[in-house]
Amino acid sequence: MAASARKKKEKKKDFQKAKLKVGKTKARPDSFTSTSFKAKSIVLNPQSLATSAPSPTLQFNHHLSLLTSKSENQRRDSLAYLTTAVASGPLPQPLAVILEKIRPLLLDSSHAVRQQLNKLLRALPAEEITSNAGSLILLTRAGMTHLSNDVRLTALDAFEWLLETAGKEVVGIAGVWVKTLKCFLGLLGWQKNQDDNAENSKWSIIKQARARLAGADKIFVKQLLALTLFLDAGIGQQEQELSKLQPSTFPLWHTQFHMLPHRPNPYGYLNLAGAARDEESEAYEDRLDRQRVFKKLALAQVEDGLEQARKEGGEVGRAAAALRRAVNLGMMGFVE
Amino acid sequence: MVKRKLAALEKVEADLTNLQHKIRRDPPSYQIEFGNQYHQYEVYRDILLEAPSTTEESRVISLHDLIGFVSHVADCYRAITKNFAQDLIGLLSAHHAVLEYELRDKIVGSLVLLRKKGIIDSSTLLNTFFSIRASTPSKSLRALLFQRILSELRNSNSKTINHRLNRTTQNALFELVTSDRTTPKTLWAVKLTRELWKRQIWTDPKSVEIMKEAALAENKKVIIAGVRFFLGGDKEREEAAEEESDEEDGIDMAQLRHQAGINKKTNKKEKELKKAAATVRKRERKKNQPHPLNFSAFHLLHDPQGFAEVLFAKHLQAAETKLNLEQKLLILQLVSRLVGLHKLALDTLYSYFLKYLSPRQPSVTSFLASLAQATHNLVPPDMLEPLIQKIVNEFVSEAAASEVASAGLNAIREICARQPLAMNETLLQDLVMYRKSKDKGVMMAAKGLLSLYREVEPEMLHKRDRGRDAALSLRAGDKKRARFGEEKAGEIEGLELLEKWKEDERKKRREEKGLPLDNLSDEEADQDAEDEAGWANWDAEEDGSDDSGGWIGVHSGGSEIDISDDEDSPGPSKRVKIEKDTTAEKEPIVANEDVTNIPKLSKLATTRILTPVDLAKLQELRAQAEVSKLMPNKKRQKQLEDRHADDPFTAEQIEGLATLSAKRTKEEKIAMARADREERHQSTTAKRKEKKEAEGKSTTNKEKARKKNFMMTLGKAKAKSKRSLIEHRKILKAHSERKKRGGRRSNR
């Protein structure tokens, strides 16, 4: 009992008011800091007095660093500067460095910034993108599944651009083919239902989910088109590949296999250094592999979904028809 | 087309909390959204895995939020998130050293959350945490994990004791402590065990075993942590339990009910009231439950002899120990307590003391206390004699300072109290002479020794020193010299009282029936019938025991344990034939002894099982006998008895008498006299006034007038004396008028 009485007393102490008295100065609070000191001098940080403007490279780097600025106007302006700088001449920094910096802006909260970013991406030299596509695809996918509709739209734009510039390389990167397919199935609401109890209500769920999004039809069409592009890149007919395989010079056979490789990480499929890969994160380098995986994981669901989408008619129906064509073309020559 | 208006919530970008809230209400219809977010989590995880050590804000924060979101709703989508927990575990165990710290802590928290939701089991969680705890270089993460492990163990043991989990955890800790004895990294295992011991979650021999291994480690910190557990862990546990019961006293049901009648009735208030009532009820039930048996760590040790031997040889005897004096003393205390408590035979220990017994040795009183503690009645006296001789030579002489002498005498007394045979006659008679010393401390110490030997061995004293009681008992011849190794036969306290009472009762009954007093076979039947009655209504007795006011004075609740002691007794109704004969023979003897007043061991407990009624009566009789013990001359004896055998003997007790030698100042004396009083007396008014002042409340006008500065009143007084008669009349009139009206504000 004695202990608890003591505790009670201690607790009470915190709430006791200090007594104020007329004519006496108020007691100072515990957190009072004396500011009565005087400084003899004030030191200013040295400022640059250079008369010549900084070099373009320096400015470029400066603007790169400004991309993480808190102000969205600042970010947008810096992106605009980078766009013109990139368009005007050779890159002052390696592309990988630039991509590393601009990549997070795919998910930026400001619409203007994302628009500007798409412009910048389109200004980048296409031939170099092919070797750096891997770093972009992840965040593009993150953007496509973002909560905000607006972000999804711009991310789809970026995705389309990426497929147009480096479609073949993108689908061959480890993990991209399966994960992106799954991502699309999820976005379109076509994935297999994993909780079996909700089997019959699936249709209504998709409808609900789409109804909750503003401008859902527009984005749905856009997603369908993006998927069409993706399938084209992955399992579409690729004539030039066949022509490349033709032995051209008589005494040499399979010349291209003995030449220096013209793409980065040529032995990536061996996966010598990384962690062990499962089906999802495996790299599917040629068309046959991709077709096989597509058939196994997605074909049935895509066809089901297409059936539904075709019935909707209108813009959705047209996009669905395009996608069906792509699927048919892609799976045309496939035999197990 | 009209532009559709957006709802307020739709405008919000990336509002995970909102989505989480919606999912909680209706999981199936938000499955697609969740799938998208889960995908996003996977993307962010992959990005992070490219460079785990990144601290880039946007990446880390989004992943942080997404992990929180997914783990909060993971139980709604078990199929989608089936890999989530494994992912987090993998991420944490592979990259805990480089991850950004907030993210790292979030992962730890999420894992705990997943455990709460039942997605992973506690052994997985604990295994993960254990391995990371052992390998991480970050102090804050270690602290966090320690706390999480502790709370996890507490939670999983809160409803019922989770034996399996405890066993695996204890085995893991045991492995940890025994696998590498040189590292200080195992210290946390010791801490964890101690914490769980303190909270009474682990009370089994295995946890004591862990501590034993810790005490035998090579590392200083670990050794001392283990030793300190044995020396202080049980006390800590008791205090924690006391504090807990203290805290629970806070709820006043009557007040709460009263408030519920007055205040606005809301669902929340109602719930609170119900909850409070439930806790009160639970506590009531708990109070009536028997106290759970808690053995102290010493009693749960396997092989205390081996432990004490190894401890002594490894840390104290070995030449190359790195321990300092303080640490050595702690270990010595532990060894000596083990020896004293379990009556171990550790011969080398006593010669070890020899070198430290000199007044110049730092903290020598601790050594003396340890020596006394290590003494018990099975130590050969010739082992102790040189030690006593040394103490006498070094401490007790005319030349020595009084504190030194009193400490020495006190130590000798404590040793001899445990092993009286260690003293020889001449030495004792010499030492007893010190009771004539002028110094109070020395005098008291010597008197202590004298009174001890008056009790145990009066023959060794001079005739004039023996005192009246001892001399009388010597003459009567009932004091026999104790022999080495002799053990007193154990008995149940108050049993002879019960026997006597029973005998009286039986006689009364037989007289009523008009039967002869010594018919044995009848008596036998009589007894059986009585027993049956005793067993028949024992349930009723137990229930009624709370209400009947007669037994409130019951002293200690040890009787249930006492009967199960080494006295084995046959069943009352199915007794073997031989037993029957022995009892029949012995009953009259007991009666005879009663007459001649020769105390002898009662056979009651060895010949029959005591019924619950008997036990209750025994308690009552004991309580009655207890009253006589409170007489002043028995008080001190009782104090000694109350000191539990488990309690340590400390240096303070050795030094105690030395404080008598020092002269005190007047202030000290006053303070000492006042120490046991509560507070100074105060009138209620004064107390109220003080309280009011402390709360910063205002005073009455009367008080203000009384406290007014004298100089300020002068002017008015002067003016009063100079008033004209007219003015005076006016004032008086106004006053009487005001009185009629009832004050200035006419508040009638």
Side-chain angles (χ1 to χ4, degrees):
Chain A
M1 237 12 247
S4 67
R6 177 170 49 81
K7 267 181 206 158
K8 268 179 204 159
K9 233 180 247 172
E10 271 170 14
K11 268 182 202 161
K12 222 176 250 168
K13 217 180 265 170
D14 292 340
F15 298 102
Q16 274 170 1
K17 267 188 204 163
K19 197 178 176 194
L20 299 176
K21 282 185 179 167
V22 180
K24 295 270 165 65
T25 48
K26 210 174 171 185
R28 283 186 169 144
D30 292 337
S31 56
F32 178 75
T33 314
S34 168
T35 52
S36 60
F37 61 88
K38 278 177 190 164
K40 279 183 184 163
S41 61
I42 294 176
V43 181
L44 291 178
N45 279 332
Q47 294 181 344
S48 166
L49 295 175
T51 46
S52 58
S55 72
T57 319
L58 268 181
Q59 274 189 330
F60 190 87
N61 290 346
H62 178 60
H63 279 285
L64 265 187
S65 71
L66 281 178
L67 289 179
T68 52
S69 154
K70 291 269 181 260
S71 146
E72 54 188 60
N73 286 335
Q74 180 63 64
R75 290 195 302 260
R76 192 197 56 207
D77 292 349
S78 295
L79 277 175
Y81 176 86
L82 293 178
T83 316
T84 51
V86 163
S88 63
L91 295 177
Q93 288 271 356
L95 187 65
V97 176
I98 299 173
L99 283 180
E100 181 71 19
K101 288 274 185 191
I102 62 175
R103 174 164 95 134
L105 293 179
L106 277 167
L107 306 173
D108 197 279
S109 58
S110 153
H111 180 71
V113 172
R114 276 177 276 126
Q115 287 286 326
Q116 190 60 48
L117 177 68
N118 268 337
K119 279 181 200 159
L120 172 58
L121 288 178
R122 274 160 223 277
L124 289 174
E127 62 276 12
E128 284 192 50
I129 289 293
T130 51
S131 53
N132 287 304
S135 65
L136 273 175
I137 187 73
L138 274 179
L139 271 160
T140 327
R141 252 183 14 229
M144 287 181 342
T145 54
H146 201 268
L147 266 180
S148 155
N149 222 357
D150 212 22
V151 177
R152 286 190 191 186
L153 274 173
T154 41
L156 278 171
D157 278 342
F159 184 67
E160 278 168 14
W161 162 78
L162 191 60
L163 286 178
E164 278 159 15
T165 43
K168 276 205 292 353
E169 285 74 15
V170 165
V171 290
I173 295 169
V176 167
W177 180 246
V178 174
K179 281 184 183 170
T180 314
L181 271 180
K182 280 193 172 170
C183 167
F184 269 113
L185 292 183
L187 279 173
L188 298 166
W190 290 353
Q191 81 271 58
K192 241 189 301 179
N193 224 329
Q194 280 157 315
D195 297 329
D196 44 15
N197 59 341
E199 193 59 56
N200 47 2
S201 65
K202 192 183 161 197
W203 181 80
S204 66
I205 289 172
I206 297 164
K207 276 290 168 204
Q208 274 174 15
R210 271 168 68 185
R212 278 195 292 267
L213 285 172
D217 277 352
K218 191 176 153 205
I219 206 167
F220 191 66
V221 170
K222 199 139 194 193
Q223 282 163 348
L224 283 178
L225 291 177
L227 180 56
T228 315
L229 269 180
F230 184 62
L231 289 182
D232 259 344
I235 55 177
Q237 306 277 5
Q238 283 142 344
E239 308 81 20
Q240 69 273 43
E241 211 171 318
L242 294 173
S243 69
K244 235 195 247 174
L245 285 175
Q246 299 297 325
S248 53
T249 47
F250 158 64
L252 303 171
W253 291 87
H254 302 307
T255 337
Q256 74 278 12
F257 293 121
H258 303 289
M259 305 273 278
L260 276 182
H262 49 81
R263 47 177 201 155
N265 198 12
Y267 299 109
Y269 62 93
L270 291 175
N271 191 25
L272 292 174
R277 288 165 175 171
D278 51 1
E279 189 191 38
E280 241 187 41
S281 51
E282 188 57 73
Y284 297 98
E285 297 229 332
D286 59 7
R287 187 177 165 223
L288 205 63
D289 275 350
R290 291 195 285 260
Q291 277 173 325
R292 189 171 45 74
V293 173
F294 177 68
K295 174 120 197 282
K296 186 180 162 202
L297 291 178
L299 185 58
Q301 294 142 49
V302 168
E303 275 173 352
D304 279 357
L306 276 176
E307 197 59 33
Q308 298 256 348
R310 196 177 56 81
K311 285 176 192 159
E312 284 186 39
E315 222 172 329
V316 177
R318 250 170 281 145
L323 179 55
R324 167 164 300 233
R325 211 173 306 127
V327 172
N328 287 342
L329 272 179
M331 298 306 288
M332 204 158 61
F334 180 67
V335 277
E336 288 207 51
Chain B
M1 196 182 131
V2 186
K3 202 174 175 192
R4 193 175 144 264
K5 268 191 182 174
L6 290 175
L9 281 177
E10 278 175 297
K11 280 186 209 158
V12 180
E13 301 234 344
D15 189 0
L16 282 176
T17 28
N18 185 23
L19 182 59
Q20 185 185 326
H21 183 62
K22 285 178 181 165
I23 285 178
R24 280 249 148 269
R25 279 188 298 177
D26 185 11
S29 41
Y30 286 88
Q31 197 181 356
I32 292 175
E33 272 92 343
F34 178 77
N36 289 340
Q37 290 313 305
Y38 189 69
H39 182 263
Q40 198 153 24
Y41 148 75
E42 285 178 330
V43 170
Y44 271 105
R45 185 201 59 204
D46 291 348
I47 294 174
L48 185 83
L49 285 177
E50 284 174 7
S53 59
T54 185
T55 53
E56 197 180 302
E57 214 176 332
S58 56
R59 288 182 190 180
V60 171
I61 288 181
S62 341
L63 186 59
H64 181 275
D65 294 348
L66 281 166
I67 286 178
F69 166 73
V70 174
S71 51
H72 269 288
V73 294
D75 53 333
C76 303
Y77 307 103
R78 281 174 192 263
I80 302 178
T81 58
K82 60 178 183 290
N83 291 329
F84 181 61
Q86 280 311 317
D87 266 3
L88 289 188
I89 290 174
L91 192 62
L92 192 62
S93 21
H95 304 295
H96 60 83
V98 288
L99 277 181
E100 201 263 340
Y101 73 98
E102 274 187 4
L103 182 63
R104 186 189 65 194
D105 293 358
K106 182 75 184 179
I107 295 178
V108 172
S110 300
L111 283 174
V112 173
L113 188 62
L114 290 178
R115 159 77 198 102
K116 269 186 205 154
K117 290 184 183 297
I119 292 170
I120 49 177
D121 56 353
S122 34
S123 63
T124 322
L125 184 74
L126 287 179
N127 278 340
T128 315
F129 283 1
F130 268 33
S131 61
I132 296 171
R133 175 70 185 67
S135 59
T136 180
S138 151
K139 198 171 180 182
S140 63
L141 181 61
R142 283 199 302 259
L144 178 74
L145 287 175
F146 181 77
Q147 194 199 343
R148 293 300 188 180
I149 290 171
L150 187 63
S151 61
E152 172 56 29
L153 282 170
R154 280 180 70 186
N155 286 341
S156 46
N157 278 309
S158 61
K159 277 186 190 138
T160 51
I161 296 172
N162 190 343
H163 286 291
R164 233 179 70 177
L165 180 70
N166 286 347
R167 201 167 47 237
T168 51
T169 317
Q170 281 167 352
N171 282 338
L173 291 183
F174 188 80
E175 277 297 303
L176 198 70
V177 174
T178 48
S179 59
D180 188 0
R181 289 176 182 276
T182 50
T183 59
K185 277 185 181 172
T186 52
L187 191 60
W188 73 278
V190 181
K191 268 190 193 165
L192 186 70
T193 314
R194 180 161 189 172
E195 195 65 33
L196 290 166
W197 180 268
K198 180 181 152 191
R199 295 177 196 280
Q200 304 202 23
I201 295 165
W202 285 359
T203 50
D204 46 348
K206 186 76 187 178
S207 37
V208 177
E209 203 73 355
I210 293 172
M211 292 315 232
K212 179 181 156 184
E213 290 303 327
L216 296 178
E218 308 280 349
N219 185 276
K220 244 194 241 180
K221 280 184 179 173
V222 181
I223 296 169
I224 294 307
V227 170
R228 275 188 198 279
F229 167 77
F230 282 106
L231 292 177
D234 291 305
K235 196 155 192 208
E236 199 183 49
R237 182 169 72 172
E238 265 169 42
E239 275 165 10
E242 251 170 46
E243 199 147 282
E244 204 172 300
S245 61
D246 238 23
E247 270 167 27
E248 278 177 357
D249 287 338
I251 303 172
D252 181 6
M253 229 23 235
Q255 193 191 359
L256 280 180
R257 244 179 242 129
H258 176 70
Q259 276 177 349
I262 293 166
N263 293 342
K264 192 180 169 189
K265 286 169 191 64
T266 60
N267 280 339
K268 193 183 167 197
K269 288 259 168 67
E270 205 170 307
K271 249 183 249 161
E272 277 174 356
L273 188 66
K274 262 185 196 161
K275 205 175 169 194
T279 46
V280 169
R281 224 174 297 134
K282 198 171 162 193
R283 201 179 312 142
E284 286 296 316
R285 215 178 302 140
K286 221 189 212 171
K287 248 181 215 168
N288 291 337
Q289 273 169 3
H291 186 67
L293 285 177
N294 275 330
F295 292 106
S296 77
F298 286 112
H299 288 112
L300 290 177
L301 264 178
H302 292 310
D303 186 22
Q305 171 77 40
F307 181 40
E309 271 172 13
V310 177
L311 204 60
F312 179 63
K314 198 169 180 185
H315 298 319
L316 296 176
Q317 251 185 341
E320 72 285 1
T321 50
K322 281 165 279 175
L323 304 168
N324 61 24
L325 181 69
E326 201 183 336
Q327 292 159 341
K328 271 187 185 170
L329 270 174
L330 280 176
I331 291 167
L332 189 61
Q333 270 175 34
L334 176 57
V335 172
S336 61
R337 271 191 79 181
L338 281 171
V339 169
L341 191 66
H342 291 284
K343 301 202 171 171
L344 309 177
L346 194 59
D347 296 349
T348 42
L349 177 65
Y350 302 100
S351 53
Y352 172 80
F353 275 109
L354 212 53
K355 125 178 117 170
Y356 293 101
L357 296 179
S358 96
R360 272 176 300 283
Q361 167 71 33
S363 51
V364 67
T365 45
S366 296
F367 280 104
L368 289 173
S370 296
L371 174 56
Q373 198 167 241
T375 314
H376 53 84
N377 62 348
L378 297 180
V379 181
D382 49 345
M383 237 173 225
L384 291 172
E385 261 168 21
L387 285 166
I388 290 181
Q389 198 60 51
K390 173 114 197 232
I391 294 175
V392 170
N393 292 342
E394 294 275 352
F395 289 80
V396 192
S397 70
E398 294 293 350
S402 58
E403 288 91 350
V404 175
S406 72
L409 278 171
N410 214 358
I412 292 172
R413 185 191 172 275
E414 288 299 334
I415 294 168
C416 292
R418 289 165 174 79
Q419 176 56 294
L421 299 174
M423 182 62 84
N424 62 36
E425 216 160 304
T426 46
L427 184 59
L428 177 65
Q429 283 161 8
D430 276 358
L431 289 178
V432 162
M433 299 280 269
Y434 277 95
R435 74 180 195 283
K436 296 285 193 310
S437 165
K438 272 179 192 155
D439 186 83
K440 204 168 181 189
V442 177
M443 183 256 282
M444 293 292 278
K447 276 189 176 172
L449 193 62
L450 176 65
S451 64
L452 172 74
Y453 271 90
R454 276 180 179 173
E455 246 166 59
V456 292
E457 286 270 12
E459 284 171 21
M460 285 172 72
L461 294 165
H462 276 306
K463 246 183 192 162
R464 60 171 181 279
D465 292 336
R466 282 176 193 168
R468 185 168 154 273
D469 288 350
L472 280 178
S473 65
L474 262 189
R475 199 170 304 155
D478 58 351
K479 269 267 194 291
K480 273 181 208 147
R481 268 194 98 122
R483 293 255 205 67
F484 175 67
E486 200 177 40
E487 285 280 357
K488 246 202 264 175
E491 57 179 325
I492 299 173
E493 187 195 344
L495 194 64
E496 66 284 348
L497 296 174
L498 181 70
E499 193 166 20
K500 190 158 174 265
W501 177 79
K502 278 197 149 185
E503 192 65 28
D504 291 347
E505 288 292 292
R506 195 172 298 129
K507 268 182 194 162
K508 261 188 223 163
R509 232 169 316 142
R510 294 184 76 83
E511 272 170 20
E512 277 170 19
K513 286 179 188 169
L515 291 170
L517 290 179
D518 45 357
N519 191 339
L520 288 179
S521 60
D522 273 6
E523 197 170 293
E524 198 64 28
D526 200 28
Q527 233 172 38
D528 282 352
E530 193 184 304
D531 274 356
E532 229 101 274
W535 286 110
N537 63 344
W538 75 284
D539 276 335
E541 287 283 335
E542 198 143 271
D543 289 343
S545 66
D546 293 340
D547 307 328
S548 68
W551 299 346
I552 284 174
V554 166
H555 182 60
S556 70
S559 60
E560 287 92 322
I561 306 160
D562 284 346
I563 45 162
S564 64
D565 260 353
D566 42 5
E567 293 103 351
D568 32 49
S569 37
S573 46
K574 295 171 193 166
R575 247 177 297 170
V576 200
K577 187 84 176 95
I578 311 159
E579 292 288 339
K580 210 169 191 173
D581 293 345
T582 54
T583 39
E585 283 167 15
K586 270 162 197 172
E587 294 274 328
I589 300 172
V590 170
N592 286 341
E593 280 170 353
D594 246 353
V595 177
T596 51
N597 252 340
I598 300 167
K600 207 176 173 190
L601 282 184
S602 164
K603 295 284 188 301
L604 191 65
T606 55
T607 52
R608 47 200 305 117
I609 292 180
L610 298 180
T611 63
V613 180
D614 288 342
L615 291 174
K617 190 71 202 171
L618 181 64
Q619 293 275 40
E620 196 182 344
L621 291 170
R622 255 192 232 162
Q624 278 172 7
E626 202 69 28
V627 176
S628 61
K629 273 196 178 168
L630 291 178
M631 309 306 273
N633 60 337
K634 304 262 179 176
K635 223 175 186 177
R636 207 166 55 90
Q637 206 173 348
K638 192 172 168 294
Q639 249 173 14
L640 282 179
E641 278 169 16
D642 279 351
R643 210 169 80 194
H644 201 268
D646 282 5
D647 288 346
F649 187 68
T650 59
E652 284 79 52
Q653 281 159 308
I654 293 272
E655 288 161 13
L657 288 177
T659 53
L660 287 176
S661 318
K663 275 255 158 67
R664 285 205 194 78
T665 60
K666 193 176 177 189
E667 283 78 35
E668 279 173 340
K669 278 182 198 165
I670 291 173
M672 269 223 338
R674 274 203 183 143
D676 53 340
R677 294 213 196 128
E678 276 291 296
E679 264 172 24
R680 72 202 157 93
H681 175 71
Q682 247 183 341
S683 71
T684 335
T685 341
K687 267 183 200 159
R688 270 191 207 139
K689 212 197 276 175
E690 213 161 66
K691 192 181 154 202
K692 218 173 169 189
E693 219 157 75
E695 282 170 354
K697 286 184 177 158
S698 57
T699 50
T700 60
N701 284 346
K702 229 183 197 173
E703 197 136 333
K704 280 190 186 112
R706 202 185 302 144
K707 279 197 174 164
K708 195 164 187 178
N709 190 353
F710 174 66
M711 296 301 281
M712 290 162 89
T713 62
L714 277 184
K716 196 179 180 183
K718 224 183 225 173
K720 233 177 174 176
S721 64
K722 281 181 185 168
R723 284 196 297 228
S724 70
L725 278 175
I726 304 289
E727 273 171 326
H728 198 64
R729 188 179 64 184
K730 235 194 235 167
I731 288 165
L732 285 178
K733 245 186 190 170
H735 178 72
S736 64
E737 189 82 340
R738 213 162 42 231
K739 255 200 158 170
K740 268 183 216 157
R741 235 178 31 224
R744 273 183 206 278
R745 292 187 208 156
S746 59
N747 53 356
R748 192 162 276 181

